[in-house]
Amino acid sequence: VHVSAAVKTLNMFDRQFENLSLDFSRQREAWRGAINGAAMTGTLLYSGAGPAAARLEMDLTHLILPDKQHKGSDIPADPRRLPAVALRSKSFELRGKSLGELNFLAEPDESGWRFKRFNLTRAVMKLNAGGHWGYDGKQHASEFDIEFSSPDMGKTMEAFGVPDQLAGGEVSVNSHLSWPGAPADPQLAALSGKINVSAKKGRFLQVKA
């Protein structure tokens, strides 16, 4: 079975992707093919039957993630019913900011969705995270280990839209954090855990009025 289509609008995870071209072939229990558009370009493999056995693999040259359509009012999904997802993108952009190369892997388990890796890499920044999104049928809970390092925090802040604050700065952060709620909805007042920060060789710049 072979399918080619031009998709005007595709909704995934409460995000709207527009003007995509798809070209897929069915091979036994899997769909394999290419996806191309302004928001994402690359190859895709979807295998398995049913959420527990399903697996989505994407190998992209770029991914521009649109904003959620229902900010602040959407109900988190049941992580136990999400498929396994393996995603690699040489370029990842969110909210107009280029975050670097993305390597992501998550798989469902009996109590939720386990993040085996969420890695972002730029020339002057590395972020590695792993953890668990749990759900008992009533309450969501998130727990993550996060490592961040930058040999030039000033350039990293500039890339994220906060320029003229710091010159240089070697920064490393190691943390173990947990909070009630989904991973995308951390509440500062509800965070618990520990954070270790090391910073040196940086100089705060004088902010001009």
Side-chain angles (χ1 to χ4, degrees):
V1 179
H2 183 265
V3 176
S4 295
V7 179
K8 185 175 181 180
T9 301
L10 176 64
N11 288 297
M12 293 191 300
F13 303 106
D14 197 40
R15 302 177 190 271
Q16 184 170 292
F17 298 84
E18 298 181 346
N19 300 320
L20 298 172
S21 62
L22 311 176
D23 189 272
F24 290 95
S25 297
R26 187 179 178 92
Q27 302 173 2
R28 295 183 180 180
E29 297 298 321
W31 286 92
R32 184 189 303 271
I35 187 168
N36 184 54
M40 67 174 78
T41 295
T43 60
L44 183 149
L45 172 67
Y46 183 82
S47 59
R55 183 178 181 87
L56 175 65
E57 298 183 24
M58 302 180 74
D59 195 347
L60 307 175
T61 58
H62 72 270
L63 172 62
I64 301 174
L65 197 63
D67 290 339
K68 282 193 171 186
Q69 298 182 76
H70 303 92
K71 296 180 181 179
S73 61
D74 55 318
I75 300 173
D78 184 343
R80 301 168 298 180
R81 298 183 59 81
L82 294 175
V85 175
L87 170 62
R88 295 170 297 277
S89 183
K90 294 181 180 179
S91 174
F92 175 51
E93 184 175 318
L94 176 66
R95 296 178 181 175
K97 303 296 187 299
S98 177
L99 302 183
E101 185 174 343
L102 171 64
N103 190 340
F104 175 85
L105 174 63
E107 297 176 344
D109 59 23
E110 293 182 355
S111 60
W113 214 37
R114 185 161 300 280
F115 290 72
K116 293 195 170 182
R117 61 176 175 266
F118 181 89
N119 300 342
L120 289 171
T121 305
R122 289 176 53 91
V124 291
M125 182 205 80
K126 289 184 179 180
L127 184 147
N128 300 326
H132 190 256
W133 173 12
Y135 183 59
D136 61 6
K138 296 181 180 179
Q139 300 292 329
H140 292 263
S142 300
E143 184 174 8
F144 283 84
D145 291 306
I146 303 170
E147 297 179 357
F148 171 87
S149 64
S150 173
D152 192 326
M153 193 61 189
K155 289 184 178 179
T156 297
M157 293 174 67
E158 183 176 353
F160 290 166
V162 189
D164 303 325
Q165 299 295 312
L166 185 67
E170 295 181 15
V171 175
S172 64
V173 179
N174 293 280
S175 63
H176 178 85
L177 299 172
S178 61
W179 60 91
D185 188 32
Q187 302 294 325
L188 185 61
L191 284 175
S192 62
K194 60 181 181 180
I195 301 176
N196 295 317
V197 180
S198 173
K200 59 183 180 180
K201 297 183 180 179
R203 178 173 59 86
F204 287 101
L205 301 177
Q206 183 177 357
V207 179
K208 295 181 180 180

